[in-house]
Amino acid sequence: MLTSRGGWLIGAAAATVLLLVGVGYWVWPRNELRVVSGTVQASVLDAEEVSRLVGVTLASDVSASEPQPPLTADPPRCVMAVGPATQAVYGRGWTAFLSATYQDSEAVPDNTVTQVVALYPDGDQAGKVFRSLAEGVRICNSAVRTDPNQTTSSWTYQLGATGSDIVTWTATQDGAGGWACHRQARLKGTAVLQVAVCQAGDGGPAAAKILDRFADRVKG
């Protein structure tokens, strides 16, 4: 799932907003995850746990059971950086996939958190996907992204820690008041995981904590 400062969740329909009279906060109908022990759904942290780690209340969630189509990138070599949770990265060889996003407002969120997990038939295939993602981020310093609704946005990418099973980077939207997505990806056995914390602040520490707990639950 990709998030820009304009509040668009790319590739997922925004949920209708309901106001609970007398409660004093907004709640959105959820695309509920079917949580079954041992599945990818069971590995994802719920909104309450993520809220504690981020330090804000995240109330809505949107999920997807397959990667979105690749986004258009200028230059084209940045297709993985502009769409790190799309088919450009995860392809079609996965055996199970889940992307789940939480945010604090449907219209123009100040905080969003996305968790992505894909399982592959074996560790070799998962490793190829992970290394392709890491290389795709490494070769892209900046790009213009075109979303499915033909909205364009400019982004700058800064690579952080890298290793045989971890890569971290920050995607900052140009001219958006410091809005940035702090991203981390990890290879665990046959699984490729990602976490993104998007906010106008340093979401890196929260992303690391979420990914650690997320990875502990994945049976990769």
Side-chain angles (χ1 to χ4, degrees):
M1 202 73 65
L2 298 175
T3 309
S4 65
R5 189 63 185 95
W8 295 99
L9 292 179
I10 309 305
T16 303
V17 180
L18 298 179
L19 176 62
L20 296 185
V21 178
V23 176
Y25 57 88
W26 295 93
V27 176
W28 301 272
R30 298 181 176 183
N31 184 0
E32 294 289 354
L33 304 179
R34 295 182 179 180
V35 179
V36 179
S37 179
T39 65
V40 289
Q41 289 87 348
S43 64
V44 171
L45 279 64
D46 63 25
E48 183 177 352
E49 186 171 2
V50 170
S51 296
R52 290 196 299 268
L53 294 172
V54 177
V56 296
T57 300
L58 305 173
S60 71
D61 70 66
V62 179
S63 64
S65 59
E66 62 182 43
Q68 306 154 35
L71 300 179
T72 302
D74 183 14
R77 69 173 181 273
C78 290
V79 64
M80 290 190 178
V82 304
T86 68
Q87 292 172 8
V89 173
Y90 287 99
R92 298 182 180 276
W94 43 269
T95 58
F97 179 91
L98 179 66
S99 173
T101 297
Y102 309 133
Q103 59 187 29
D104 58 359
S105 168
E106 192 218 7
V108 183
D110 292 320
N111 298 271
T112 72
V113 175
T114 299
Q115 301 167 81
V116 182
V117 55
L119 302 181
Y120 291 87
D122 54 55
D124 287 343
Q125 293 187 50
K128 289 178 182 178
V129 170
F130 174 81
R131 289 189 292 272
S132 294
L133 171 60
E135 177 64 10
V137 174
R138 186 190 69 79
I139 64 175
C140 184
N141 295 322
S142 62
V144 175
R145 186 182 83 194
T146 302
D147 298 335
N149 60 2
Q150 299 306 303
T151 298
T152 60
S153 54
S154 298
W155 294 78
T156 300
Y157 302 94
Q158 183 176 358
L159 188 65
T162 61
S164 61
D165 63 353
I166 185 74
V167 60
T168 71
W169 72 102
T170 303
T172 303
Q173 187 176 357
D174 300 344
W179 176 259
C181 292
H182 302 266
R183 297 184 177 275
Q184 300 202 3
R186 183 175 297 179
L187 173 65
K188 182 182 179 181
T190 62
V192 179
L193 315 176
Q194 278 193 66
V195 167
V197 175
C198 302
Q199 57 182 214
D202 184 7
K209 292 177 182 178
I210 295 168
L211 183 60
D212 283 344
R213 295 194 185 186
F214 187 19
D216 284 345
R217 299 181 183 182
V218 172
K219 308 299 183 183

